[in-house]
């Protein structure tokens, strides 16, 4: 049994999700089974269309998009917390029932930091993951627990970004 490692893609620069998508595609191309999980993302994205064409990648994400956390009402925050915890339950169930080689937790640092996810479940997955599971975590400001267990830590640093010039996200590039 090959030992799976833990990757963290963090920082304020663009490319965290893109790097994780690249790993998912590479793993699927090698015949690996991948679960790609998106937290706080519910809208359409280009990677979803690509993943539909690739065998071996399953996507778990929120059934609805509630927008940015800072703009959410208390009721929406409670709803997103439930959705995130339900997603974690799906991951644990999948890990028990079927072979999974890689789990990618895209944007996991945000619900963990904001307390809108069952932190105990996240910690259990990170600290007690199956030995052969490759685990990928993305997002800004990763908690110390993620950094301490990671085998790879890559920080994307923003030098310049179009958002600073009020240029919004573009389909096929940012989403």
């Amino acid at each position: 049994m090959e030992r799976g490692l833990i990757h963290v893609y963090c920082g304020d620069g663009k490319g965290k999700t893109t790097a994780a998508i690249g790993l998912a595609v590479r793993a699927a191309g090698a015949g690996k089974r991948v679960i790609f999980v998106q937290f706080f993302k519910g809208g359409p994205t280009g990677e979803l269309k690509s993943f539909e064409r690739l065998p071996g990648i399953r996507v778990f994400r929120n059934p609805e998009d509630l927008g940015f956390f800072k703009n959410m009402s208390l009721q929406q925050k409670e709803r997103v917390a439930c959705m995130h915890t339900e997603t974690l339950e799906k991951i644990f169930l999948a890990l028990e029932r079927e072979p999974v080689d890689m789990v990618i937790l895209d944007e996991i640092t945000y619900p963990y930091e904001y307390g809108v996810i069952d932190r105990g479940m996240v910690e259990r997955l990170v600290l007690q993951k199956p030995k052969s599971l490759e685990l990928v975590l993305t997002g800004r400001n990763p908690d110390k627990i993620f950094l301490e267990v990671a085998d790879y830590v890559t920080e994307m640093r923003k030098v310049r970004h179009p958002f600073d010039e009020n240029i919004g996200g573009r389909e096929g590039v940012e989403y």
Side-chain angles (χ1 to χ4, degrees), residues 12-168:
D12 65 356
K14 179 184 177 340
K16 299 174 287 292
T17 297
T18 304
I21 291 165
L23 272 180
V25 169
R26 179 178 285 160
K32 305 287 185 181
R33 293 155 308 244
V34 178
I35 293 177
F36 194 95
V37 186
Q38 291 187 313
F39 294 97
F40 278 126
K41 291 182 179 177
T45 62
E47 62 266 22
L48 295 179
K49 292 176 187 172
S50 296
F51 287 165
E52 288 172 3
R53 297 177 180 162
L54 295 173
I57 300 178
R58 288 180 56 200
V59 177
F60 296 156
R61 62 199 321 252
N62 293 345
E64 58 187 298
D65 189 354
L66 298 174
F68 289 108
F69 180 78
K70 66 181 181 179
N71 299 329
M72 287 182 192
S73 68
L74 182 57
Q75 183 180 17
Q76 288 173 315
K77 290 176 183 177
E78 290 170 357
R79 174 75 183 121
V80 83
C82 287
M83 287 190 291
H84 288 156
T85 299
E86 288 169 6
T87 298
L88 283 176
E89 290 168 353
K90 289 178 188 175
I91 296 166
F92 278 104
L93 193 60
L95 290 172
E96 288 174 14
R97 292 188 173 172
E98 61 195 71
V100 177
D101 300 300
M102 179 181 287
V103 171
I104 297 172
L105 303 177
D106 185 37
E107 312 283 9
I108 187 62
T109 63
Y110 307 110
Y112 189 87
E113 179 183 351
Y114 303 152
V116 289
I117 197 165
D118 184 323
R119 286 183 178 176
M121 288 178 74
V122 174
E123 292 166 9
R124 191 169 98 218
L125 180 58
V126 170
L127 297 173
Q128 300 172 17
K129 73 171 189 64
K131 185 176 173 85
S132 63
L133 182 70
E134 201 79 11
L135 183 63
V136 181
L137 314 169
T138 76
R140 293 179 184 215
N141 306 316
D143 191 83
K144 180 174 73 167
I145 192 170
F146 301 150
L147 296 174
E148 289 174 351
V149 300
D151 299 289
Y152 298 89
V153 177
T154 301
E155 182 176 5
M156 276 66 164
R157 184 176 61 87
K158 181 184 85 159
V159 174
R160 182 177 304 116
H161 195 288
F163 185 76
D164 298 334
E165 300 297 324
N166 296 318
I167 298 172

